[in-house]
Amino acid sequence: MSDADVTEIAVATMLVAAKVAAPVLLTALLVGFLISLFQAATQIQEPTLSFVPKVIAVAIALLVTGNWVLSELVTFTQGLFDSLPRLLDRT
């Protein structure tokens, strides 16, 4: 296994991790932004007002995108395992 192979696997791993984390992170970002706008407009500074809706929104995002996330991770892992013999033969 060469340095280029390791770099290729690392880049692919980071891309899959970013793609898989994006729905949850973007949901939390959007809900947090909307709640902060509401808090700024009404001057209500209740900590649970920002926490509870984010938790609910993230849970809904996980329910909606969970199947896709799992299929992406399984596809990536199967591709990695399928490429192992090719990578080990190069040594």
Side-chain angles (χ1 to χ4, degrees):
M1 183 181 292
S2 68
D3 292 343
D5 294 330
V6 174
T7 305
E8 179 183 329
I9 292 171
V11 167
T13 303
M14 287 186 273
L15 286 174
V16 168
K19 192 169 30 168
V20 163
V24 174
L25 292 177
L26 291 175
T27 300
L29 178 71
L30 180 65
V31 170
F33 179 71
L34 293 175
I35 299 272
S36 67
L37 280 178
F38 175 75
Q39 284 182 327
T42 60
Q43 295 183 353
I44 298 174
Q45 298 302 321
E46 181 66 29
T48 57
L49 185 63
S50 64
F51 179 73
V52 173
K54 269 198 256 185
V55 169
I56 293 169
V58 166
I60 291 171
L62 283 172
L63 285 173
V64 170
T65 63
N67 192 27
W68 173 77
V69 166
L70 186 61
S71 71
E72 286 290 320
L73 291 174
V74 167
T75 302
F76 175 73
T77 304
Q78 286 176 341
L80 190 61
F81 285 156
D82 289 343
S83 69
L84 277 178
R86 176 186 57 86
L87 294 172
L88 293 177
D89 284 341
R90 290 185 179 177
T91 57

